[in-house]
Amino acid sequence: MSVKVSMFNRCVEDEAGDLILYNSMEGTGSIRVAGQEKKEKLTGWLNRREPMEEEDDPDFQALVRGGYLIPAERDEKALRELRHMERIMDPALHLVVHTTSACNFRCQYCALDFQPKPMPREIQDRLIRFVRRRISQHSRVTISWFGGEPLLEMEVIEHISREVMEICRRAHKPYIGSITSNGYLLTPENMETLLRCRVMYYTITVDGLKDTHDRQRFLANGKPTFDRVIGNLRYIRDHVPNPMLSVTIRTNVTREILDRIEEYYRFYDGEFGGDPRFSLFVRPAGDWGGDRVKEMSDSLLHLEEMDEVYRRLSRIPGRILFRGNFGDLEPGGATCPAIFKNKYTVGTEGQLTKCDDSGSQYAIGRLLPDGTAEIDEGQEALWVAGCRLSLSSCDDCSFSGPCLMTTCPKSGVVGRHHNCGYVHEANPLLLLAAATLHPDQL
């Protein structure tokens, strides 16, 4: 069989001089590490510009199995287009529900106005009617609880979950929930309720170690929050045995956290590294607007500085993984869910947006009393299909497997500018993945 080199290959050398191989259309499962003694042999094949005949050499066959060498007649750009179509037309109904715009925290970098606007019962019931009307069109339903701080309105979560779970039961469709929370109200009692509501995926923000976290993420009355949040996470670790649970600890990295990154990693690895349900997710703390963030402007990291975060973390041995970050290395994993045709964010007043931000400036429609939705199809089309990239550099990019040539919808629709997101982090992120996922050796 005649084979050719895949356009989605990326090769990076680690600090030891070993070669890390990755194919962005195959994802993290394709990562392989080759020692220095094999580099010349492997790169000889991988640098070929013309098709070649398949060889029986075990290393050659390993490249074929990993997707690095593919059938010569395969049109990889057509395959990428098919993956994009499958992603945007996902038949599941994905809902992000803002239970309230209020928050019990006053994080230093947050731009919310903290107006206490819980979702009224009438809007909750409109949403339930919406799901009931739509359920026959979808393969499953997912709800991501958001805010503000969603746990301030547990009654909203309970009411909607109970009704939607019954709708799905009657329709024989799966249902699953997730939540993004500051973790302060993730008490044993609330955990019990959330599990009854089938909330299985948790993203909890903890910014570094105690001193940094308490300086960046404090209560509205100024009191610290770190000890209670970590205590709630320890309770889950020790007393919630459900193996289906997934807890992502997100950290908004500042310069102070970067300076103590080894201490940071060792703390969370020591606390949660023995429980595979826990993982880490690091992103730079950014200027998302407002006045408070100006007080910490010198501490903010530029996006390109995440390279150094990944490189330092890759040098530290441990067990806890960065699954949230590694998602950006999977096929389609770096695309924003706002491009999904069947994904809607529901604001507290019933407004519908594609972005997780439920602000009225992003609204494409609203829920109506009878459970139907009034949607501006033109605006929705911009979010779903109007953010594809046509630049030749994107068309030939080896990292276009995860992004599928789709820019950040908010940047494209609202800002009218091109945004590659985290693509520039690919190489150092690969170093971190190779150091922690323990991929096969070639």
Side-chain angles (χ1 to χ4, degrees):
M1 180 177 72
S2 183
V3 298
K4 64 180 179 181
V5 176
S6 170
M7 67 170 284
F8 298 112
N9 292 344
R10 185 168 285 215
C11 301
V12 184
E13 281 195 13
D14 64 16
E15 293 182 346
D18 292 337
L19 190 67
I20 299 170
L21 282 70
Y22 160 75
N23 183 281
S24 74
M25 193 56 79
E26 298 292 332
T28 55
S30 72
I31 297 177
R32 301 289 186 272
V33 178
Q36 298 182 47
E37 71 282 0
K38 289 190 177 182
K39 274 197 304 186
E40 185 176 351
K41 177 183 180 182
L42 295 173
T43 55
W45 287 317
L46 294 173
N47 289 334
R48 295 272 186 92
R49 295 183 177 273
E50 300 297 327
M52 65 194 100
E53 292 304 310
E54 188 171 2
E55 299 181 20
D56 292 331
D57 186 291
D59 292 325
F60 191 98
Q61 289 300 315
L63 295 179
V64 172
R65 289 193 301 272
Y68 302 103
L69 299 177
I70 60 174
E73 69 276 9
R74 181 176 297 172
D75 185 337
E76 290 191 285
K77 293 183 179 180
L79 177 62
R80 181 180 59 199
E81 192 66 17
L82 176 61
R83 294 289 178 263
H84 177 259
M85 293 169 61
E86 292 172 341
R87 189 129 177 105
I88 65 173
M89 299 307 294
D90 184 345
L93 177 60
H94 299 281
L95 300 171
V96 176
V97 179
H98 288 244
T99 68
T100 180
S101 58
C103 188
N104 53 339
F105 277 32
R106 292 296 182 269
C107 299
Q108 198 170 5
Y109 41 67
C110 184
L112 292 180
D113 59 9
F114 306 114
Q115 295 301 312
K117 297 177 183 177
M119 179 178 281
R121 179 58 69 97
E122 168 57 22
I123 300 300
Q124 298 174 46
D125 290 337
R126 290 186 189 188
L127 176 56
I128 292 165
R129 295 182 200 115
F130 176 75
V131 175
R132 185 176 291 117
R133 280 180 172 271
R134 296 276 298 252
I135 189 64
S136 64
Q137 305 172 35
H138 300 287
S139 60
R140 67 189 188 281
V141 178
T142 70
I143 295 183
S144 299
W145 302 104
F146 212 69
E149 170 49 48
L151 294 179
L152 288 172
E153 297 295 334
M154 283 295 298
E155 291 183 359
V156 176
I157 296 175
E158 288 187 84
H159 177 59
I160 295 175
S161 296
R162 182 173 59 249
E163 297 296 328
V164 172
M165 285 191 294
E166 179 61 17
I167 292 169
C168 290
R169 186 190 69 80
R170 289 177 177 271
H172 305 288
K173 303 290 178 73
Y175 169 79
I176 198 73
S178 63
I179 192 167
T180 298
S181 169
N182 58 41
Y184 194 81
L185 298 176
L186 202 61
T187 60
E189 296 76 18
N190 281 341
M191 270 302 303
E192 184 177 341
T193 300
L194 291 169
L195 290 173
R196 285 201 305 269
C197 294
R198 297 186 195 168
V199 178
M200 293 297 171
Y201 296 92
Y202 297 75
T203 298
I204 310 298
T205 301
V206 192
D207 283 353
L209 301 169
K210 176 176 171 60
D211 54 348
T212 306
H213 175 93
D214 285 340
R215 188 164 57 252
Q216 293 182 187
R217 301 179 61 81
F218 43 85
L219 290 173
N221 62 12
K223 291 187 176 181
T225 61
F226 180 85
D227 289 340
R228 177 157 169 173
V229 174
I230 293 297
N232 290 338
L233 294 177
R234 287 169 176 156
Y235 177 86
I236 295 173
R237 178 195 66 194
D238 297 335
H239 301 288
V240 181
N242 193 317
M244 301 301 294
L245 210 65
S246 173
V247 181
T248 299
I249 300 171
R250 171 177 174 141
T251 295
N252 297 302
V253 181
T254 57
R255 297 191 189 285
E256 289 83 357
I257 295 173
L258 176 58
D259 288 343
R260 301 172 62 187
I261 199 71
E262 182 168 354
E263 185 181 359
Y264 157 82
Y265 181 77
R266 293 195 184 283
F267 173 81
Y268 289 98
D269 186 54
E271 288 283 349
F272 306 108
D275 189 331
R277 301 174 301 171
F278 286 79
S279 63
L280 295 175
F281 181 40
V282 289
R283 281 288 186 243
D287 184 349
W288 296 300
D291 294 326
R292 291 186 305 277
V293 71
K294 296 175 182 176
E295 299 175 7
M296 60 178 298
S297 59
D298 292 341
S299 297
L300 300 180
L301 291 183
H302 298 296
L303 205 54
E304 57 270 18
E305 292 179 281
M306 285 302 292
D307 290 10
E308 183 62 19
V309 176
Y310 293 137
R311 291 182 189 279
R312 292 192 191 183
L313 288 170
S314 70
R315 302 179 188 126
I316 310 168
R319 298 165 295 175
I320 194 167
L321 300 179
F322 293 83
R323 283 196 292 267
N325 296 97
F326 297 158
D328 285 347
L329 297 174
E330 301 295 351
T335 58
C336 175
I339 68 170
F340 293 0
K341 174 65 176 70
N342 298 313
K343 183 268 185 184
Y344 299 99
T345 294
V346 185
T348 57
E349 298 175 343
Q351 69 272 28
L352 297 177
T353 66
K354 301 300 287 184
C355 182
D356 286 353
D357 189 330
S358 65
S360 58
Q361 69 272 34
Y362 306 129
I364 63 163
R366 62 192 178 98
L367 292 175
L368 299 179
D370 64 354
T372 59
E374 182 180 75
I375 295 175
D376 184 326
E377 290 187 342
Q379 282 296 311
E380 183 174 36
L382 285 176
W383 286 87
V384 174
C387 51
R388 293 303 305 282
L389 300 172
S390 58
L391 301 176
S392 60
S393 58
C394 294
D395 193 36
D396 295 324
C397 178
S398 64
F399 194 63
S400 58
C403 78
L404 299 176
M405 291 181 64
T406 303
T407 186
C408 166
K410 184 191 290 188
S411 299
V413 176
V414 180
R416 303 290 182 184
H417 67 274
H418 169 88
N419 180 352
C420 263
Y422 297 97
V423 63
H424 65 276
E425 300 177 9
N427 287 355
L429 185 54
L430 278 172
L431 294 176
L432 180 58
T436 56
L437 293 176
H438 306 297
D440 291 342
Q441 298 280 326
L442 283 176

